[in-house]
Amino acid sequence: MAKLPKATRTKALAYLRTSSATNVDGDSAERQRIAIRAYADRAGIEVEAEFYDAAVSGADPVDQRPGFAAMLTRIEGNGVRTILVENASRFARDLAVQLAGHALLQARGIELVPVDAPSYFTDPTPTAVMVRQILGSVAEFDKASTVAKLRGARERASAAAGYRVDGRKATLHGDALAMARRLRRKNPKTGDRRSLRDIAAAMAEAGHVNPHTGKAYSPEAIRLALDNAGAAKA
């Protein structure tokens, strides 16, 4: 099917969400991006901008998420009235949050389109309503089951290791924290800073790695350690 000229295409914004720092470092966002772009191309939609909530729970109210709030602000100023998401659970995994969030968008005249099932939020038949509620409940159950499995795995790992293996990112201390702070300083000539990912790579080369995994610290772990160190110093 031939693509429509950009001037005649419906415009939309893309919304992406990952629920944990692990997913931020993985391929979840790219998978969502590919699915949204593919649907937009097929439907003759121009994706004007993308908004991403990294490491944000699907149970958090949508209007309290930084990326989603920024997207609503953008919508108020540019007239776009369509949001594309990979699927309904990327919008919100918790059923109550999903329905409340959709109602909020409806009140503002904004259409929400999960690209795997475009009519998910619009089909008004009793069967469709029931299916939405069932799928939302399944997503909630799936999330709760995953959390329970991860908790059990951490408890087993802690028993085997002889110390508590926490699901959170390892905290930097001592020489590792000192190196991270040094690498994060601005270049006195250019005023630029190294990215958190570059800092993690440089630290790994120097032997400072996550003690639980033996791999480089994640950018999120470094950011949290630097933030906490700054707060403690203040």
Side-chain angles (χ1 to χ4, degrees):
M1 181 175 65
K3 293 183 179 180
L4 294 172
K6 283 191 174 182
T8 62
R9 291 188 187 185
T10 298
K11 293 186 177 183
L13 300 176
Y15 177 67
L16 285 65
R17 181 186 64 80
T18 50
S19 58
S20 69
T22 301
N23 287 337
V24 172
D25 292 338
D27 62 355
S28 175
E30 185 60 21
R31 185 200 67 236
Q32 295 175 57
R33 188 175 293 114
I34 290 172
I36 290 171
R37 296 283 176 176
Y39 172 82
D41 284 345
R42 292 194 305 271
I45 295 173
E46 178 187 352
V47 177
E48 188 175 87
E50 174 187 296
F51 293 83
Y52 179 25
D53 274 314
V56 170
S57 170
D60 289 354
V62 295
D63 57 347
Q64 294 179 21
R65 305 174 190 174
F68 201 90
M71 182 170 60
L72 291 180
T73 299
R74 173 71 174 267
I75 285 174
E76 289 176 358
N78 70 355
V80 173
R81 286 295 178 268
T82 302
I83 296 173
L84 303 181
V85 293
E86 180 193 25
N87 54 52
S89 68
R90 285 301 98 197
F91 173 62
R93 191 177 293 274
D94 183 278
L95 178 58
V97 174
Q98 190 180 103
L99 297 178
H102 182 244
L104 178 149
L105 295 179
Q106 275 190 316
R108 299 188 181 200
I110 300 168
E111 181 184 11
L112 179 67
V113 180
V115 301
D116 68 331
S119 63
Y120 179 89
F121 285 110
T122 57
D123 194 337
T125 66
T127 299
V129 172
M130 180 186 69
V131 168
R132 285 196 290 272
Q133 293 174 340
I134 291 174
L135 290 178
S137 297
V138 169
E140 287 185 57
F141 174 78
D142 180 64
K143 178 65 174 181
S145 297
T146 299
V147 170
K149 289 177 182 177
L150 291 174
R151 182 171 57 247
R154 287 197 298 272
E155 290 173 354
R156 290 191 295 273
S158 297
Y163 58 85
R164 180 170 179 77
V165 177
D166 201 337
R168 298 176 181 177
K169 295 295 180 182
T171 302
L172 282 67
H173 298 286
D175 292 342
L177 178 57
M179 183 176 183
R181 295 180 69 175
R182 185 174 68 254
L183 293 175
R184 188 58 171 166
R185 291 172 185 158
K186 289 183 179 180
N187 184 309
K189 294 182 179 179
T190 65
D192 294 334
R193 294 181 188 271
R194 293 179 188 236
S195 71
L196 296 176
R197 194 174 296 278
D198 287 344
I199 292 173
M203 291 179 62
E205 289 181 7
H208 294 300
V209 296
N210 185 318
H212 301 322
T213 66
K215 298 180 180 180
Y217 286 103
S218 72
E220 178 66 10
I222 293 175
R223 183 188 68 77
L224 289 173
L226 292 173
D227 287 350
N228 290 336
K233 187 175 180 180

